Amino acid sequence: KSGGDAPVVDATPSNEFPPLSSTYSTATTEDNHYVKMEDGDASDQIEKTNSQLSIANSVMTAEGLADPMGFLIICCVVLIGDMNRGVVFPIMWPLVQELGGDAVWLGYAVGAFSFGRIIASPTLGKWSIEYGYSKTLVGSTTTMTIACILFAQVYRVNSIYYLIFTQMMLGVGSATLGVTRAFVAEITATRQRTVYIALLTAVQYGGFTVTPLFGALIMHVFQEKRYEFGFLIFDQYSAAAYFMSLLSACTLAVLITKFQNRIRTKPNKKKKSSRTAERDEIADRTMFMGITVYDAALLGCMLLNVSTKGSIGSFETLGISFAESHFNLEPETAGFIVSVNGMIGVIALLSMSQLGKYFTDIQMIVGGISVCALGIIGFSTLQSFEDGADNATWKYFVGIFMIYGIGYPIGHTAVIGLFSKIVGRRAQGTLQGWFASAGSLARILFPIMSGYIAQFDDITTVFKVLFAIL
């Protein structure tokens, strides 16, 4: 499609299935409604296809989902990865204070998690193509399990540098967003990809917005308590990490025993349809500075990803301290409020298929970001509790609702779906890895920036900057 004289990418889902560069083979089942899908190492394992697990149970219609079990396991991997961020949300600020840190160190601690993701995401995306999804996810989940155990020792080691190191390791272990999204993109029809990407994003979103409830509960139960079992010490800072270690180990066991090793076969080349050829011709047109329409569309999605991920990263950094300083709320209460609105956000994500019937991806992006920006700028007018302000708790709830309950989940998920559609028939693994890295970069820079601004100016200034960026 095009509007005016400016060419734009036509991201309208094609009725052709499987895609021309898909990893699906052209074999069909007896009822002529299904296609088989295999993936893994495309270069040296094709000859071994007959000796590998049959993919007969991994079939899909053009309207369905291949390998439902694999999709559920992928959801578990995504959930555990972001729970490592969510469960420690109400714990991180008090822990940094116990270690002698301030808002700046909190920014570095939160950013370290994303730094681990950004350095690992492209590599894991590449490995998913070269070695297959199974080996890649087993390796990353093993790293994550070890990192959880190491995080449990932070308070005992009593070093903020050790905290940053463990946060980086957790980031490396959970740097599988590109891999998991590529997997989902390959096992879904293009016309339904946004729906399943939304489901996956709902799981991820629930991981870091709903699970602070568990962190708040654990912190409340172990408040000023300490239990020793041999070399294991359970307190308000380590219990959550041991809890995550157990969940990560269970996910690792499921990956090893239930996740099929998939062998990627080379698709039969098909002649492009006239519609596909026309769309590719538009995408390859050169714009300013030698950038093609396709590259410009990808860059636009990257920048939208950076702005939305960075904004939510800033709230992840300062949300608890802001609740304390401006609403006199305890970390457990603030974590509970975030969790409740995270649940609302998950419901919004599960409604993406219905929203998609009435709104385009662009409309959902604009609407979501606008609501998020309004929620942020509403906080910028509030004075702190120390200055004599008596801010009602409902104001905090409403602002968090606009950010976590509506704005971010809808706007950011639409960005992910649009990016996947623009990538289209090209290999998703590497590009999704770079997309995830762009988001992780934002979650490094924005928390550090927010920490410095809050430390040397005022926390409300952070909200004004975020509003301007959005």
Side-chain angles (χ1 to χ4, degrees), residues 4-25:
D5 298 327
V8 297
V9 174
D10 183 358
T12 304
S14 171
N15 290 327
E16 296 180 355
F17 188 81
L20 296 181
S21 62
S22 167
T23 59
Y24 301 106
S25 68

Side-chain angles (χ1 to χ4, degrees), residues 242-258:
Y242 282 124
F243 171 69
M244 290 307 307
S245 300
L246 177 61
L247 295 183
S248 297
C250 292
T251 303
L252 179 61
V254 172
L255 276 171
I256 295 174
T257 58
K258 299 296 184 180

Side-chain angles (χ1 to χ4, degrees), residues 48-65:
K48 299 179 183 179
T49 302
N50 293 333
S51 63
Q52 298 291 331
L53 293 172
S54 172
I55 314 297
N57 63 335
S58 191
V59 296
M60 63 183 292
T61 68
E63 299 295 337
L65 175 72

Side-chain angles (χ1 to χ4, degrees), residues 27-46:
T28 58
T29 57
E30 293 180 358
D31 60 7
N32 199 34
H33 285 289
Y34 297 94
V35 291
K36 295 181 179 179
M37 192 281 283
E38 301 174 334
D39 64 68
D41 192 331
S43 60
D44 61 359
Q45 296 189 15
I46 295 178

Side-chain angles (χ1 to χ4, degrees), residues 89-201:
F89 174 75
I91 299 172
M92 187 63 69
W93 173 235
L95 178 58
V96 169
Q97 288 180 309
E98 286 287 342
L99 299 177
D102 53 21
V104 174
W105 280 110
L106 177 62
Y108 280 110
V110 173
F113 185 94
S114 296
F115 180 74
R117 277 190 168 179
I118 196 174
I119 61 177
S121 288
T123 301
L124 292 179
K126 182 179 179 180
W127 285 356
S128 69
I129 297 175
E130 294 181 354
Y131 306 111
Y133 294 105
S134 181
K135 292 180 180 178
T136 302
L137 293 176
V138 167
S140 62
T141 306
T142 301
T143 303
M144 183 166 54
T145 304
I146 296 173
C148 288
I149 297 174
L150 294 178
F151 185 91
Q153 317 307 318
V154 169
Y155 188 64
R156 181 190 297 183
V157 175
N158 194 32
S159 171
I160 199 166
Y161 296 102
Y162 180 78
L163 170 63
I164 292 175
F165 169 73
T166 56
Q167 281 283 89
M168 286 177 55
M169 280 199 64
L170 284 171
V172 171
S174 63
T176 53
L177 292 180
V179 176
T180 54
R181 289 170 185 166
F183 179 89
V184 172
E186 291 197 2
I187 65 172
T188 54
T190 304
R191 65 174 62 87
Q192 287 196 327
R193 188 166 298 161
T194 297
V195 175
Y196 286 105
I197 288 291
L199 290 175
L200 187 69
T201 305

